[in-house]
Amino acid sequence: MIHKEGKAVVIPTAVIKRLPKYHRHLGKLLKKGVEKISSREFGEIVGVSAPQLRQDLNHFGNFGQQGYGYNVEKLYNALAKVMGIEKKSNMVLVGVGNLGQALISATDFKRRGFNLCTAFDINPRLVGMTINGIKVRDIANLEQYIKDNDINIGIIAVPEETAQDVADKLVLAGVKGIWNFAPVDLKVSKEVSVENEHLTEGLLRLSFKIKGEI
Amino acid sequence: MIHKEGKAVVIPTAVIKRLPKYHRHLGKLLKKGVEKISSREFGEIVGVSAPQLRQDLNHFGNFGQQGYGYNVEKLYNALAKVMGIEKKSNMVLVGVGNLGQALISATDFKRRGFNLCTAFDINPRLVGMTINGIKVRDIANLEQYIKDNDINIGIIAVPEETAQDVADKLVLAGVKGIWNFAPVDLKVSKEVSVENEHLTEGLLRLSFKIKGEI
DNA sequence: CCTATATTGTTAAAAAAATAACAACAGAGG
DNA sequence: CCTCTGTTGTTATTTTTTTAACAATATAGG
Ligand SMILES: NC(=O)c1ccc[n+]([C@@H]2O[C@H](COP(=O)([O-])OP(=O)(O)OC[C@H]3O[C@@H](n4cnc5c(N)ncnc54)[C@H](O)[C@@H]3O)[C@@H](O)[C@H]2O)c1
Ligand SMILES: NC(=O)c1ccc[n+]([C@@H]2O[C@H](COP(=O)([O-])OP(=O)(O)OC[C@H]3O[C@@H](n4cnc5c(N)ncnc54)[C@H](O)[C@@H]3O)[C@@H](O)[C@H]2O)c1
């Protein structure tokens, strides 16, 4: 729960969805050496109106200064803190198939404090391999590993048929969040957060925009 | 533009975002042999209230029947038509790296009428290879291929630095939609639709839900 | 054929989100 | 030190989205 001036406030989900985008663009500005930016300029960059941007940010604190704007570095760090990035996350991947191997090789996550510790699969031909420095272990060892290594995020990249089963195992072992790539709506206890990447849905939305009509 | 009773109506974006999920669950019900379903039951399955479900569907037509509910197969086909799935899409992939290769191997898309025709890369070691039946061509041939083969969707799976450049090429060649996996907000002419899969943003949202506070 | 039941399509109300307006204030320049 | 400019934080307004309510109607059972 988030608090502001002592009171608990609920952050609108619409706001939460935009934060990562703000953070990403601030990172790019920082790299370019931009020191300060106004809500109008920044809003234009991220594709959001200036008032909305200010309102969004003010849910978490007053990061700007009248007549000046926002200090890019300060805002970048503030948002990182808001999203909890400065507290490192330990992750495990389950399912080392086509997608799982791509995720193992992705560089973006590590830069932002997400640490992929190991991967699990059920296929004996994969178990024991090391891919891009990540060891593949037998799914049977999942629970013990999660408990021993302070893992709080599990990534699901298994076929849809086994996704719920894997999710159950992850929850039982004690992860706090699941990043799910299987085209399934997982049922988990409500203390665990799930973020779905239903890629095919994105493609269908694109199709609708291009060709949809009655 | 969508028309209903002769009048042009704008479909709320919130509705559009939910359609693919409805379609996916209808597919599963159909497979299970379920013949009819009420808005209450179906709403429970997809995680949406019954009135909202009815209102969503009624943007496109009256698919239900009082006292009976919705015929699953009929609704499934109607939604497919609404989203333009029955008109097949030809796609090309640009960027045959870790993620690109995973996408080539994905089976979900084909089943829904999305036909990946070929892939392009700039790396001469990849050009000429065939992966899962998909031939990898030189990026120099992109424009000609798209024009010759009635391609309407381009998938971008190249590094962020070259993504805008690839997008420009795709637009110039005449695609109608871009499915973008690079962590960049592409600038394209407004006749072209873009659907972003900014995976890292999903991970950050998960982090926020788990650890975010002030 | 008539009645009771189930469930829709549609209109109305409430809630959430986005946009607009503006007073407050920091900093620059005279 | 004062005034003008730029830009924030915040409150008010509008728009969009969600939820609720209910009349209309198809089906099933007697
Ligand atoms: N490949 C893509 O680009 C893509 C795109 C969209 C969605 N997806 C989804 O991602 C998931 C994975 O796709 P993929 O193409 O990598 O599939 P895949 O078949 O290549 O890989 C699945 C892996 O999961 C392992 N596995 C299966 N059951 C398991 C279990 N109970 N415990 C541990 N490991 C198990 C398999 O051994 C295999 O290595 C699927 O649900 C798919 O629908 C993939
Ligand atoms: N790997 C993942 O799981 C993952 C996750 C999230 C986001 N992404 C994003 O997806 C994109 C691709 O990631 P990846 O891991 O596959 O990278 P990668 O480096 O493995 O592959 C990129 C491919 O693009 C090709 N390429 C580069 N410039 C090109 C050009 N101008 N024209 C044609 N081809 C070109 C390269 O030769 C290479 O084969 C990146 O933008 C990355 O940020 C990847």
Side-chain angles (χ1 to χ4, degrees), chain A residues 5-39:
Chain A
E5 290 157 17
K7 284 191 304 186
V9 273
V10 178
I11 307 295
T13 56
V15 175
I16 297 173
K17 285 203 186 146
R18 285 188 291 268
L19 294 181
K21 179 167 295 220
Y22 297 165
H23 186 255
R24 171 163 59 82
H25 281 283
L26 285 168
K28 285 186 187 174
L29 288 169
L30 202 54
K31 233 186 189 168
K32 275 206 242 166
V34 178
E35 259 189 30
K36 64 159 191 171
I37 196 161
S38 71
S39 62

PDB file of all heavy atoms in Angstrom, chain A residues 5-39:
ATOM      1  N   GLU A   5       1.591  11.665   2.763  1.00  0.00           N
ATOM      2  CA  GLU A   5       1.221  12.507   3.900  1.00  0.00           C
ATOM      3  C   GLU A   5       0.484  11.693   4.965  1.00  0.00           C
ATOM      4  O   GLU A   5      -0.533  12.120   5.498  1.00  0.00           O
ATOM      5  CB  GLU A   5       0.338  13.679   3.439  1.00  0.00           C
ATOM      6  CG  GLU A   5       1.102  14.696   2.617  1.00  0.00           C
ATOM      7  CD  GLU A   5       0.170  15.498   1.717  1.00  0.00           C
ATOM      8  OE1 GLU A   5      -1.042  15.478   1.980  1.00  0.00           O
ATOM      9  OE2 GLU A   5       0.654  16.104   0.760  1.00  0.00           O
ATOM     10  N   GLY A   6       0.996  10.512   5.206  1.00  0.00           N
ATOM     11  CA  GLY A   6       0.430   9.691   6.270  1.00  0.00           C
ATOM     12  C   GLY A   6      -0.787   8.879   5.856  1.00  0.00           C
ATOM     13  O   GLY A   6      -1.086   7.868   6.448  1.00  0.00           O
ATOM     14  N   LYS A   7      -1.484   9.319   4.790  1.00  0.00           N
ATOM     15  CA  LYS A   7      -2.718   8.622   4.390  1.00  0.00           C
ATOM     16  C   LYS A   7      -2.439   7.591   3.302  1.00  0.00           C
ATOM     17  O   LYS A   7      -1.630   7.822   2.410  1.00  0.00           O
ATOM     18  CB  LYS A   7      -3.751   9.637   3.862  1.00  0.00           C
ATOM     19  CG  LYS A   7      -4.425  10.441   4.965  1.00  0.00           C
ATOM     20  CD  LYS A   7      -5.612  11.206   4.405  1.00  0.00           C
ATOM     21  CE  LYS A   7      -5.190  12.090   3.237  1.00  0.00           C
ATOM     22  NZ  LYS A   7      -6.275  12.952   2.755  1.00  0.00           N
ATOM     23  N   ALA A   8      -3.160   6.478   3.384  1.00  0.00           N
ATOM     24  CA  ALA A   8      -3.032   5.459   2.346  1.00  0.00           C
ATOM     25  C   ALA A   8      -3.825   5.906   1.119  1.00  0.00           C
ATOM     26  O   ALA A   8      -4.970   6.329   1.237  1.00  0.00           O
ATOM     27  CB  ALA A   8      -3.575   4.135   2.852  1.00  0.00           C
ATOM     28  N   VAL A   9      -3.214   5.851  -0.055  1.00  0.00           N
ATOM     29  CA  VAL A   9      -3.920   6.201  -1.275  1.00  0.00           C
ATOM     30  C   VAL A   9      -3.787   5.075  -2.280  1.00  0.00           C
ATOM     31  O   VAL A   9      -2.768   4.409  -2.353  1.00  0.00           O
ATOM     32  CB  VAL A   9      -3.367   7.486  -1.924  1.00  0.00           C
ATOM     33  CG1 VAL A   9      -4.037   8.717  -1.358  1.00  0.00           C
ATOM     34  CG2 VAL A   9      -1.876   7.579  -1.790  1.00  0.00           C
ATOM     35  N   VAL A  10      -4.848   4.881  -3.043  1.00  0.00           N
ATOM     36  CA  VAL A  10      -4.821   3.858  -4.077  1.00  0.00           C
ATOM     37  C   VAL A  10      -4.392   4.520  -5.386  1.00  0.00           C
ATOM     38  O   VAL A  10      -4.973   5.529  -5.786  1.00  0.00           O
ATOM     39  CB  VAL A  10      -6.209   3.215  -4.234  1.00  0.00           C
ATOM     40  CG1 VAL A  10      -6.183   2.189  -5.344  1.00  0.00           C
ATOM     41  CG2 VAL A  10      -6.650   2.597  -2.925  1.00  0.00           C
ATOM     42  N   ILE A  11      -3.409   3.959  -6.011  1.00  0.00           N
ATOM     43  CA  ILE A  11      -2.947   4.502  -7.289  1.00  0.00           C
ATOM     44  C   ILE A  11      -3.788   3.904  -8.403  1.00  0.00           C
ATOM     45  O   ILE A  11      -3.889   2.692  -8.525  1.00  0.00           O
ATOM     46  CB  ILE A  11      -1.467   4.145  -7.523  1.00  0.00           C
ATOM     47  CG1 ILE A  11      -0.609   4.567  -6.322  1.00  0.00           C
ATOM     48  CG2 ILE A  11      -0.965   4.789  -8.800  1.00  0.00           C
ATOM     49  CD1 ILE A  11      -0.537   6.037  -6.069  1.00  0.00           C
ATOM     50  N   PRO A  12      -4.399   4.742  -9.245  1.00  0.00           N
ATOM     51  CA  PRO A  12      -5.207   4.221 -10.359  1.00  0.00           C
ATOM     52  C   PRO A  12      -4.375   3.301 -11.249  1.00  0.00           C
ATOM     53  O   PRO A  12      -3.213   3.604 -11.534  1.00  0.00           O
ATOM     54  CB  PRO A  12      -5.606   5.489 -11.126  1.00  0.00           C
ATOM     55  CG  PRO A  12      -5.501   6.597 -10.146  1.00  0.00           C
ATOM     56  CD  PRO A  12      -4.399   6.210  -9.213  1.00  0.00           C
ATOM     57  N   THR A  13      -4.985   2.225 -11.678  1.00  0.00           N
ATOM     58  CA  THR A  13      -4.241   1.284 -12.520  1.00  0.00           C
ATOM     59  C   THR A  13      -3.768   1.931 -13.811  1.00  0.00           C
ATOM     60  O   THR A  13      -2.718   1.581 -14.337  1.00  0.00           O
ATOM     61  CB  THR A  13      -5.108   0.057 -12.875  1.00  0.00           C
ATOM     62  OG1 THR A  13      -6.304   0.525 -13.488  1.00  0.00           O
ATOM     63  CG2 THR A  13      -5.442  -0.753 -11.640  1.00  0.00           C
ATOM     64  N   ALA A  14      -4.547   2.878 -14.309  1.00  0.00           N
ATOM     65  CA  ALA A  14      -4.141   3.555 -15.537  1.00  0.00           C
ATOM     66  C   ALA A  14      -2.809   4.263 -15.350  1.00  0.00           C
ATOM     67  O   ALA A  14      -1.987   4.315 -16.267  1.00  0.00           O
ATOM     68  CB  ALA A  14      -5.228   4.544 -15.967  1.00  0.00           C
ATOM     69  N   VAL A  15      -2.601   4.792 -14.166  1.00  0.00           N
ATOM     70  CA  VAL A  15      -1.332   5.466 -13.866  1.00  0.00           C
ATOM     71  C   VAL A  15      -0.194   4.449 -13.825  1.00  0.00           C
ATOM     72  O   VAL A  15       0.863   4.643 -14.437  1.00  0.00           O
ATOM     73  CB  VAL A  15      -1.415   6.210 -12.522  1.00  0.00           C
ATOM     74  CG1 VAL A  15      -0.072   6.809 -12.160  1.00  0.00           C
ATOM     75  CG2 VAL A  15      -2.482   7.297 -12.578  1.00  0.00           C
ATOM     76  N   ILE A  16      -0.427   3.367 -13.133  1.00  0.00           N
ATOM     77  CA  ILE A  16       0.602   2.331 -12.985  1.00  0.00           C
ATOM     78  C   ILE A  16       1.076   1.836 -14.342  1.00  0.00           C
ATOM     79  O   ILE A  16       2.251   1.607 -14.563  1.00  0.00           O
ATOM     80  CB  ILE A  16       0.054   1.151 -12.163  1.00  0.00           C
ATOM     81  CG1 ILE A  16      -0.279   1.647 -10.746  1.00  0.00           C
ATOM     82  CG2 ILE A  16       1.047   0.016 -12.100  1.00  0.00           C
ATOM     83  CD1 ILE A  16      -0.982   0.628  -9.896  1.00  0.00           C
ATOM     84  N   LYS A  17       0.136   1.705 -15.254  1.00  0.00           N
ATOM     85  CA  LYS A  17       0.503   1.201 -16.580  1.00  0.00           C
ATOM     86  C   LYS A  17       1.455   2.139 -17.307  1.00  0.00           C
ATOM     87  O   LYS A  17       2.209   1.705 -18.162  1.00  0.00           O
ATOM     88  CB  LYS A  17      -0.756   1.011 -17.427  1.00  0.00           C
ATOM     89  CG  LYS A  17      -1.543  -0.217 -17.010  1.00  0.00           C
ATOM     90  CD  LYS A  17      -2.416  -0.709 -18.132  1.00  0.00           C
ATOM     91  CE  LYS A  17      -3.300  -1.847 -17.653  1.00  0.00           C
ATOM     92  NZ  LYS A  17      -4.596  -1.863 -18.278  1.00  0.00           N
ATOM     93  N   ARG A  18       1.349   3.429 -16.996  1.00  0.00           N
ATOM     94  CA  ARG A  18       2.203   4.376 -17.728  1.00  0.00           C
ATOM     95  C   ARG A  18       3.591   4.542 -17.122  1.00  0.00           C
ATOM     96  O   ARG A  18       4.510   4.976 -17.801  1.00  0.00           O
ATOM     97  CB  ARG A  18       1.501   5.738 -17.799  1.00  0.00           C
ATOM     98  CG  ARG A  18       0.352   5.776 -18.788  1.00  0.00           C
ATOM     99  CD  ARG A  18      -0.167   7.195 -18.951  1.00  0.00           C
ATOM    100  NE  ARG A  18      -0.831   7.679 -17.757  1.00  0.00           N
ATOM    101  CZ  ARG A  18      -2.142   7.578 -17.530  1.00  0.00           C
ATOM    102  NH1 ARG A  18      -2.911   7.020 -18.422  1.00  0.00           N
ATOM    103  NH2 ARG A  18      -2.664   8.040 -16.430  1.00  0.00           N
ATOM    104  N   LEU A  19       3.751   4.217 -15.863  1.00  0.00           N
ATOM    105  CA  LEU A  19       5.036   4.463 -15.200  1.00  0.00           C
ATOM    106  C   LEU A  19       6.238   3.853 -15.922  1.00  0.00           C
ATOM    107  O   LEU A  19       7.242   4.535 -16.100  1.00  0.00           O
ATOM    108  CB  LEU A  19       4.989   3.948 -13.754  1.00  0.00           C
ATOM    109  CG  LEU A  19       4.035   4.678 -12.810  1.00  0.00           C
ATOM    110  CD1 LEU A  19       4.125   4.077 -11.414  1.00  0.00           C
ATOM    111  CD2 LEU A  19       4.341   6.172 -12.765  1.00  0.00           C
ATOM    112  N   PRO A  20       6.168   2.584 -16.334  1.00  0.00           N
ATOM    113  CA  PRO A  20       7.338   2.008 -16.989  1.00  0.00           C
ATOM    114  C   PRO A  20       7.751   2.801 -18.232  1.00  0.00           C
ATOM    115  O   PRO A  20       8.938   2.940 -18.520  1.00  0.00           O
ATOM    116  CB  PRO A  20       6.871   0.600 -17.366  1.00  0.00           C
ATOM    117  CG  PRO A  20       5.802   0.287 -16.386  1.00  0.00           C
ATOM    118  CD  PRO A  20       5.100   1.587 -16.144  1.00  0.00           C
ATOM    119  N   LYS A  21       6.779   3.301 -18.953  1.00  0.00           N
ATOM    120  CA  LYS A  21       7.086   4.084 -20.150  1.00  0.00           C
ATOM    121  C   LYS A  21       7.822   5.365 -19.766  1.00  0.00           C
ATOM    122  O   LYS A  21       8.798   5.748 -20.406  1.00  0.00           O
ATOM    123  CB  LYS A  21       5.788   4.413 -20.908  1.00  0.00           C
ATOM    124  CG  LYS A  21       6.013   5.238 -22.140  1.00  0.00           C
ATOM    125  CD  LYS A  21       4.798   5.282 -23.016  1.00  0.00           C
ATOM    126  CE  LYS A  21       4.452   3.923 -23.581  1.00  0.00           C
ATOM    127  NZ  LYS A  21       4.011   3.966 -24.973  1.00  0.00           N
ATOM    128  N   TYR A  22       7.345   6.026 -18.739  1.00  0.00           N
ATOM    129  CA  TYR A  22       8.032   7.238 -18.271  1.00  0.00           C
ATOM    130  C   TYR A  22       9.478   6.915 -17.925  1.00  0.00           C
ATOM    131  O   TYR A  22      10.405   7.620 -18.312  1.00  0.00           O
ATOM    132  CB  TYR A  22       7.338   7.819 -17.024  1.00  0.00           C
ATOM    133  CG  TYR A  22       5.919   8.273 -17.224  1.00  0.00           C
ATOM    134  CD1 TYR A  22       5.090   8.514 -16.127  1.00  0.00           C
ATOM    135  CD2 TYR A  22       5.386   8.482 -18.501  1.00  0.00           C
ATOM    136  CE1 TYR A  22       3.784   8.940 -16.286  1.00  0.00           C
ATOM    137  CE2 TYR A  22       4.072   8.899 -18.662  1.00  0.00           C
ATOM    138  CZ  TYR A  22       3.278   9.122 -17.557  1.00  0.00           C
ATOM    139  OH  TYR A  22       1.967   9.529 -17.710  1.00  0.00           O
ATOM    140  N   HIS A  23       9.630   5.836 -17.196  1.00  0.00           N
ATOM    141  CA  HIS A  23      10.963   5.451 -16.740  1.00  0.00           C
ATOM    142  C   HIS A  23      11.895   5.163 -17.923  1.00  0.00           C
ATOM    143  O   HIS A  23      13.048   5.604 -17.946  1.00  0.00           O
ATOM    144  CB  HIS A  23      10.844   4.214 -15.842  1.00  0.00           C
ATOM    145  CG  HIS A  23      12.119   3.801 -15.195  1.00  0.00           C
ATOM    146  ND1 HIS A  23      12.848   2.720 -15.618  1.00  0.00           N
ATOM    147  CD2 HIS A  23      12.824   4.340 -14.160  1.00  0.00           C
ATOM    148  CE1 HIS A  23      13.923   2.598 -14.857  1.00  0.00           C
ATOM    149  NE2 HIS A  23      13.935   3.559 -13.964  1.00  0.00           N
ATOM    150  N   ARG A  24      11.362   4.455 -18.901  1.00  0.00           N
ATOM    151  CA  ARG A  24      12.179   4.126 -20.067  1.00  0.00           C
ATOM    152  C   ARG A  24      12.647   5.379 -20.794  1.00  0.00           C
ATOM    153  O   ARG A  24      13.820   5.515 -21.142  1.00  0.00           O
ATOM    154  CB  ARG A  24      11.362   3.234 -21.021  1.00  0.00           C
ATOM    155  CG  ARG A  24      12.015   3.002 -22.361  1.00  0.00           C
ATOM    156  CD  ARG A  24      11.410   1.814 -23.078  1.00  0.00           C
ATOM    157  NE  ARG A  24       9.981   1.906 -23.337  1.00  0.00           N
ATOM    158  CZ  ARG A  24       9.441   2.557 -24.360  1.00  0.00           C
ATOM    159  NH1 ARG A  24      10.216   3.201 -25.233  1.00  0.00           N
ATOM    160  NH2 ARG A  24       8.139   2.580 -24.532  1.00  0.00           N
ATOM    161  N   HIS A  25      11.732   6.315 -21.020  1.00  0.00           N
ATOM    162  CA  HIS A  25      12.104   7.528 -21.739  1.00  0.00           C
ATOM    163  C   HIS A  25      13.049   8.406 -20.924  1.00  0.00           C
ATOM    164  O   HIS A  25      13.940   9.050 -21.484  1.00  0.00           O
ATOM    165  CB  HIS A  25      10.853   8.310 -22.146  1.00  0.00           C
ATOM    166  CG  HIS A  25      10.177   7.752 -23.352  1.00  0.00           C
ATOM    167  ND1 HIS A  25      10.660   7.946 -24.628  1.00  0.00           N
ATOM    168  CD2 HIS A  25       9.078   6.971 -23.481  1.00  0.00           C
ATOM    169  CE1 HIS A  25       9.879   7.326 -25.485  1.00  0.00           C
ATOM    170  NE2 HIS A  25       8.911   6.722 -24.820  1.00  0.00           N
ATOM    171  N   LEU A  26      12.863   8.413 -19.613  1.00  0.00           N
ATOM    172  CA  LEU A  26      13.788   9.183 -18.772  1.00  0.00           C
ATOM    173  C   LEU A  26      15.198   8.608 -18.890  1.00  0.00           C
ATOM    174  O   LEU A  26      16.179   9.354 -18.956  1.00  0.00           O
ATOM    175  CB  LEU A  26      13.325   9.153 -17.317  1.00  0.00           C
ATOM    176  CG  LEU A  26      12.110  10.038 -17.011  1.00  0.00           C
ATOM    177  CD1 LEU A  26      11.546   9.721 -15.634  1.00  0.00           C
ATOM    178  CD2 LEU A  26      12.472  11.512 -17.113  1.00  0.00           C
ATOM    179  N   GLY A  27      15.283   7.278 -18.937  1.00  0.00           N
ATOM    180  CA  GLY A  27      16.582   6.642 -19.116  1.00  0.00           C
ATOM    181  C   GLY A  27      17.253   7.094 -20.399  1.00  0.00           C
ATOM    182  O   GLY A  27      18.453   7.375 -20.429  1.00  0.00           O
ATOM    183  N   LYS A  28      16.466   7.187 -21.461  1.00  0.00           N
ATOM    184  CA  LYS A  28      17.035   7.629 -22.740  1.00  0.00           C
ATOM    185  C   LYS A  28      17.490   9.083 -22.667  1.00  0.00           C
ATOM    186  O   LYS A  28      18.550   9.443 -23.201  1.00  0.00           O
ATOM    187  CB  LYS A  28      15.989   7.452 -23.853  1.00  0.00           C
ATOM    188  CG  LYS A  28      15.829   5.983 -24.235  1.00  0.00           C
ATOM    189  CD  LYS A  28      14.919   5.775 -25.428  1.00  0.00           C
ATOM    190  CE  LYS A  28      14.681   4.274 -25.614  1.00  0.00           C
ATOM    191  NZ  LYS A  28      13.712   3.966 -26.660  1.00  0.00           N
ATOM    192  N   LEU A  29      16.677   9.927 -22.033  1.00  0.00           N
ATOM    193  CA  LEU A  29      17.045  11.343 -21.897  1.00  0.00           C
ATOM    194  C   LEU A  29      18.335  11.480 -21.090  1.00  0.00           C
ATOM    195  O   LEU A  29      19.230  12.253 -21.445  1.00  0.00           O
ATOM    196  CB  LEU A  29      15.916  12.107 -21.199  1.00  0.00           C
ATOM    197  CG  LEU A  29      14.654  12.326 -22.030  1.00  0.00           C
ATOM    198  CD1 LEU A  29      13.517  12.851 -21.164  1.00  0.00           C
ATOM    199  CD2 LEU A  29      14.922  13.293 -23.186  1.00  0.00           C
ATOM    200  N   LEU A  30      18.417  10.719 -20.032  1.00  0.00           N
ATOM    201  CA  LEU A  30      19.586  10.751 -19.161  1.00  0.00           C
ATOM    202  C   LEU A  30      20.840  10.397 -19.960  1.00  0.00           C
ATOM    203  O   LEU A  30      21.876  11.063 -19.860  1.00  0.00           O
ATOM    204  CB  LEU A  30      19.370   9.741 -18.039  1.00  0.00           C
ATOM    205  CG  LEU A  30      20.153   9.921 -16.740  1.00  0.00           C
ATOM    206  CD1 LEU A  30      19.954  11.311 -16.182  1.00  0.00           C
ATOM    207  CD2 LEU A  30      19.694   8.884 -15.722  1.00  0.00           C
ATOM    208  N   LYS A  31      20.713   9.363 -20.762  1.00  0.00           N
ATOM    209  CA  LYS A  31      21.835   8.923 -21.602  1.00  0.00           C
ATOM    210  C   LYS A  31      22.269  10.030 -22.560  1.00  0.00           C
ATOM    211  O   LYS A  31      23.451  10.207 -22.829  1.00  0.00           O
ATOM    212  CB  LYS A  31      21.375   7.706 -22.418  1.00  0.00           C
ATOM    213  CG  LYS A  31      22.287   6.490 -22.293  1.00  0.00           C
ATOM    214  CD  LYS A  31      21.808   5.433 -23.248  1.00  0.00           C
ATOM    215  CE  LYS A  31      22.496   4.095 -23.056  1.00  0.00           C
ATOM    216  NZ  LYS A  31      21.776   3.055 -23.809  1.00  0.00           N
ATOM    217  N   LYS A  32      21.281  10.747 -23.064  1.00  0.00           N
ATOM    218  CA  LYS A  32      21.577  11.842 -23.994  1.00  0.00           C
ATOM    219  C   LYS A  32      22.170  13.049 -23.281  1.00  0.00           C
ATOM    220  O   LYS A  32      22.583  14.003 -23.929  1.00  0.00           O
ATOM    221  CB  LYS A  32      20.266  12.287 -24.682  1.00  0.00           C
ATOM    222  CG  LYS A  32      19.888  11.483 -25.903  1.00  0.00           C
ATOM    223  CD  LYS A  32      19.032  12.343 -26.844  1.00  0.00           C
ATOM    224  CE  LYS A  32      17.659  11.758 -27.040  1.00  0.00           C
ATOM    225  NZ  LYS A  32      16.691  12.668 -27.659  1.00  0.00           N
ATOM    226  N   GLY A  33      22.162  13.044 -21.966  1.00  0.00           N
ATOM    227  CA  GLY A  33      22.716  14.167 -21.222  1.00  0.00           C
ATOM    228  C   GLY A  33      21.724  15.289 -20.948  1.00  0.00           C
ATOM    229  O   GLY A  33      22.118  16.383 -20.542  1.00  0.00           O
ATOM    230  N   VAL A  34      20.434  15.046 -21.166  1.00  0.00           N
ATOM    231  CA  VAL A  34      19.429  16.071 -20.875  1.00  0.00           C
ATOM    232  C   VAL A  34      19.301  16.232 -19.364  1.00  0.00           C
ATOM    233  O   VAL A  34      19.144  15.247 -18.654  1.00  0.00           O
ATOM    234  CB  VAL A  34      18.064  15.681 -21.481  1.00  0.00           C
ATOM    235  CG1 VAL A  34      17.014  16.726 -21.144  1.00  0.00           C
ATOM    236  CG2 VAL A  34      18.187  15.502 -22.982  1.00  0.00           C
ATOM    237  N   GLU A  35      19.385  17.471 -18.891  1.00  0.00           N
ATOM    238  CA  GLU A  35      19.374  17.702 -17.446  1.00  0.00           C
ATOM    239  C   GLU A  35      17.976  17.957 -16.889  1.00  0.00           C
ATOM    240  O   GLU A  35      17.600  17.442 -15.852  1.00  0.00           O
ATOM    241  CB  GLU A  35      20.263  18.888 -17.100  1.00  0.00           C
ATOM    242  CG  GLU A  35      21.616  18.451 -16.569  1.00  0.00           C
ATOM    243  CD  GLU A  35      22.395  19.628 -16.024  1.00  0.00           C
ATOM    244  OE1 GLU A  35      21.764  20.590 -15.546  1.00  0.00           O
ATOM    245  OE2 GLU A  35      23.635  19.581 -16.103  1.00  0.00           O
ATOM    246  N   LYS A  36      17.247  18.814 -17.591  1.00  0.00           N
ATOM    247  CA  LYS A  36      15.906  19.136 -17.099  1.00  0.00           C
ATOM    248  C   LYS A  36      14.901  19.059 -18.234  1.00  0.00           C
ATOM    249  O   LYS A  36      15.254  19.132 -19.407  1.00  0.00           O
ATOM    250  CB  LYS A  36      15.884  20.535 -16.483  1.00  0.00           C
ATOM    251  CG  LYS A  36      16.169  21.633 -17.490  1.00  0.00           C
ATOM    252  CD  LYS A  36      15.666  22.988 -17.025  1.00  0.00           C
ATOM    253  CE  LYS A  36      15.725  23.976 -18.189  1.00  0.00           C
ATOM    254  NZ  LYS A  36      15.063  25.245 -17.871  1.00  0.00           N
ATOM    255  N   ILE A  37      13.651  18.910 -17.877  1.00  0.00           N
ATOM    256  CA  ILE A  37      12.610  18.820 -18.902  1.00  0.00           C
ATOM    257  C   ILE A  37      11.280  19.272 -18.301  1.00  0.00           C
ATOM    258  O   ILE A  37      11.005  19.034 -17.129  1.00  0.00           O
ATOM    259  CB  ILE A  37      12.512  17.381 -19.463  1.00  0.00           C
ATOM    260  CG1 ILE A  37      11.738  17.393 -20.778  1.00  0.00           C
ATOM    261  CG2 ILE A  37      11.862  16.444 -18.440  1.00  0.00           C
ATOM    262  CD1 ILE A  37      11.969  16.172 -21.612  1.00  0.00           C
ATOM    263  N   SER A  38      10.475  19.951 -19.127  1.00  0.00           N
ATOM    264  CA  SER A  38       9.171  20.403 -18.653  1.00  0.00           C
ATOM    265  C   SER A  38       8.134  19.320 -18.914  1.00  0.00           C
ATOM    266  O   SER A  38       8.333  18.440 -19.744  1.00  0.00           O
ATOM    267  CB  SER A  38       8.765  21.686 -19.368  1.00  0.00           C
ATOM    268  OG  SER A  38       8.457  21.416 -20.708  1.00  0.00           O
ATOM    269  N   SER A  39       7.027  19.405 -18.225  1.00  0.00           N
ATOM    270  CA  SER A  39       5.985  18.407 -18.417  1.00  0.00           C
ATOM    271  C   SER A  39       5.459  18.450 -19.850  1.00  0.00           C
ATOM    272  O   SER A  39       5.046  17.439 -20.404  1.00  0.00           O
ATOM    273  CB  SER A  39       4.851  18.624 -17.419  1.00  0.00           C
ATOM    274  OG  SER A  39       4.243  19.879 -17.604  1.00  0.00           O
TER     275      SER A  39
END
